[in-house]
Amino acid sequence: MFKIKNLLAPVLFFIPQLFFAQYTDVINSNRPGETMSAYGVGKSVIQAELGVYGIKEKHDLLNYDASGFGTDFSLRYGAFLEKLEFILDVQYQMANFDTPYTSYKKNNFRQTVLGAKYLIYDPYKNKREANIYSYKANHSFNWRELIPAVSVFAGANFVGADNPYYFSPDGAVSPKISLITQNLFGGGKWVFVTNIIADYIGTDYPSYGYILTLTHGFNERWSGFVENQGYKSDFYSDAIVRGGAAYLLSPNLQVDASVSTNFKNTPSVLYGGVGVSWRYDGWYKNKQAANKADEKAKKNTDNEKSIDYQEKERRRKAKYE
């Protein structure tokens, strides 16, 4: 269930690369929270985010206890445009439910979402370089930090027939949309992300919710986050708080852990999970290297043309001297 959000401490320390391209020097993972960040992985970059979690539930009115575990997987790919990212989000859960009279199991996909995210506005796109001559200019409050980056996500839920986690025995495909904002404070050491979500649109039980996530980078390896999520529908409503941390093993590999709970007893829920995020950016780097080689070759050609022109001019003038 802890599928996404952690901008990761190292990313926060490489802010210039973040704002001039979606690609960053180190992995930009959404784990271990639930929010989707405004920025993508970068064009031609592929990224996988995998987690496992345990769950305990207790419902005082329905008088049942539940325990189990699950796994969630996100596959992200930047394609066509620097601002565009495609996302596959899958969650599978297995749980045992015990009542005073019987026991039963729920084993199925809790979520299967396929969609795309597009960065509409980046307030730092044309950000000027830091003033290296002014301490005050570099450490005073920047009003630009109040202007968020803005993205939109549009996708679809795919639910199979007889899914015990769905409100209908029939299979269905329904739209899901999100508005995403992201602010960076304190020179990028603090990141605040909001998601406003409309889910299962057009079904008998549409769901509307929000997620607020605050992430702090402690150093170049460690980061932590706190998160609040709320969602409401006629089928189920809840408010959940989360917290956790992530650690960077290498520029392309991150591990994380988190815990979640709510404040009601219909049911009370407790989740705990660990995860890993990995990316492959070889295609991006190869493309960048090829672009640099082309630019260098073009400059060399331009220099050769300039030298050749100058030599012709000298010879022309020499004829009349």
Side-chain angles (χ1 to χ4, degrees), residues 49-74:
E49 301 172 7
L50 175 67
V52 293
Y53 62 89
I55 177 176
K56 289 188 69 68
E57 288 187 14
K58 181 178 176 62
H59 201 298
D60 288 352
L61 292 181
L62 299 181
N63 198 20
Y64 74 75
D65 293 282
S67 62
F69 65 95
T71 182
D72 49 75
F73 174 73
S74 292

Side-chain angles (χ1 to χ4, degrees), residues 42 59-60 90 100 106 119 147 150 161 186 198 215 218 227 249 275 280:
H59 201 298
D60 288 352
V90 179
K106 290 184 179 181
L119 179 65
I147 304 174
V150 180
T215 301
F218 300 108
E227 183 173 276
L249 294 173
Y280 176 75

Side-chain angles (χ1 to χ4, degrees), residues 216-229:
H216 178 58
F218 300 108
N219 53 48
E220 294 186 359
R221 295 283 181 176
W222 284 100
S223 66
F225 85 102
V226 291
E227 183 173 276
N228 171 236
Q229 179 180 9

Side-chain angles (χ1 to χ4, degrees), residues 112-319:
T112 302
V113 176
L114 178 63
K117 179 179 67 179
Y118 183 77
L119 179 65
I120 296 175
Y121 176 70
D122 182 357
Y124 292 89
K125 182 178 181 181
N126 298 313
K127 180 184 177 183
R128 298 175 63 182
E129 294 297 327
N131 184 350
I132 63 175
Y133 300 105
S134 173
Y135 178 89
K136 182 178 179 180
N138 291 323
H139 292 82
S140 60
F141 178 77
N142 186 350
W143 289 99
R144 183 187 294 271
E145 293 178 346
L146 298 179
I147 304 174
V150 180
S151 290
V152 291
F153 171 84
N157 293 283
F158 297 87
V159 182
D162 299 320
N163 188 324
Y165 294 109
Y166 192 57
F167 45 75
S168 170
D170 301 323
V173 178
S174 59
K176 177 179 180 178
I177 58 174
S178 301
L179 175 66
I180 305 161
T181 67
Q182 182 165 322
N183 295 84
L184 291 99
F185 302 106
K189 293 183 179 180
W190 295 89
V191 180
F192 181 63
V193 179
T194 68
N195 287 185
I196 307 299
I197 305 165
D199 209 354
Y200 301 109
I201 300 170
T203 67
D204 293 335
Y205 298 99
S207 176
Y208 305 97
Y210 69 89
I211 316 176
L212 311 175
T213 304
L214 182 64
T215 301
H216 178 58
F218 300 108
N219 53 48
E220 294 186 359
R221 295 283 181 176
W222 284 100
S223 66
F225 85 102
V226 291
E227 183 173 276
N228 171 236
Q229 179 180 9
Y231 46 92
K232 182 176 179 59
S233 77
D234 292 337
F235 180 71
Y236 181 72
S237 300
D238 208 343
I240 297 173
V241 293
R242 299 186 182 88
Y247 181 76
L248 185 71
L249 294 173
S250 73
N252 290 326
L253 186 64
Q254 166 197 306
V255 292
D256 62 71
S258 61
V259 63
S260 303
T261 189
N262 66 350
F263 298 104
K264 68 177 189 177
N265 55 12
T266 56
S268 62
V269 296
L270 178 65
Y271 291 78
V274 296
V276 60
S277 302
W278 170 86
R279 76 171 179 181
Y280 176 75
D281 59 358
W283 296 327
Y284 178 89
K285 289 183 176 180
N286 291 340
K287 181 65 175 178
Q288 292 297 101
N291 290 340
K292 290 180 179 179
D294 290 341
E295 290 177 4
K296 184 176 181 181
K298 185 178 183 300
K299 288 181 179 179
N300 290 337
T301 301
D302 291 342
N303 290 337
E304 290 175 0
K305 288 181 179 179
S306 177
I307 293 172
D308 185 56
Y309 173 77
Q310 293 173 8
E311 180 63 25
K312 289 181 179 179
E313 278 296 296
R314 284 194 294 269
R315 291 177 181 177
R316 185 183 64 82
K317 291 180 179 179
K319 291 172 63 177

